[in-house]
Amino acid sequence: MITLNVNGVDYALLVDNRWSLADVLREKLGLTGTKTGCDRGECGSCAVLVDGVPMLSCMLLACSVSGRKITTIEGIGSVGNLDKLQQAFVNNEGIQCGICIPGIIVVSKALLEKNPKPTEDEVKEALSGNLCKCGNWPFIVKSVLEAAK
């Protein structure tokens, strides 16, 4: 049995001790916004915040984060109430296929919490662990910089 606080909601869950946090979020809690692009920690699409720090949920055993506060893309905004970062991605066409964007927004959210006015180079460095196979990087960086205004 593990306990998690996910997006402000407390859960007590019975999980296999081999399950990743990504598995638990998607399969047990139905939070499918967290993607498992590569499932081996290479693409960043599974990024979530664990106590405010970006981490790759496909590389974390769920039991290792028991008792911690988890924020997923669903906890950052909603369809009717977008976070300013999500709105900036809409405004700047920062979204293409959508596989990488949840992880990129989660990592960007952590960046802006720590550094509200990042430079372009700081945005690129923060997102260096995230892959966008669509080649949409200029619009992604522009979106994060707009959200920082």
Side-chain angles (χ1 to χ4, degrees):
M1 175 79 73
I2 65 169
T3 60
L4 297 173
N5 178 292
V6 181
N7 302 328
V9 178
D10 290 322
Y11 295 93
L13 302 162
L14 188 57
V15 300
D16 187 308
N17 62 5
R18 296 169 295 176
W19 282 20
S20 71
L21 178 59
D23 291 336
V24 171
L25 294 171
R26 293 181 57 83
E27 304 301 326
K28 286 284 206 181
L29 301 181
L31 298 171
T32 58
T34 300
K35 306 300 183 203
T36 52
C38 68
D39 208 21
R40 58 181 180 237
E42 294 178 355
C43 73
S45 65
C46 67
V48 298
L49 301 178
V50 178
D51 295 332
V53 177
M55 294 191 178
L56 301 175
S57 64
C58 75
M59 299 301 293
L60 289 173
L61 291 174
C63 60
S64 73
V65 293
S66 184
R68 313 246 329 246
K69 181 179 176 185
I70 312 298
T71 304
T72 68
I73 187 70
E74 290 92 344
I76 291 177
S78 64
V79 173
N81 187 25
L82 295 178
D83 180 86
K84 72 175 182 177
L85 188 57
Q86 293 166 319
Q87 187 62 56
F89 273 75
V90 172
N91 295 346
N92 293 288
E93 299 179 7
I95 301 167
Q96 288 290 312
C97 75
I99 297 297
C100 65
I101 294 303
I104 288 172
I105 288 179
V106 166
V107 171
S108 298
K109 185 74 174 173
L111 168 67
L112 296 180
E113 289 288 325
K114 184 177 175 183
N115 179 2
K117 299 290 181 197
T119 65
E120 183 174 335
D121 286 344
E122 290 169 330
V123 171
K124 290 177 180 176
E125 175 63 26
L127 296 176
S128 63
N130 296 80
L131 297 178
C132 172
K133 293 181 179 178
C134 298
N136 204 32
W137 282 111
F139 302 102
I140 291 170
V141 172
K142 183 178 177 183
S143 300
V144 177
L145 291 172
E146 178 184 296
K149 290 182 182 173

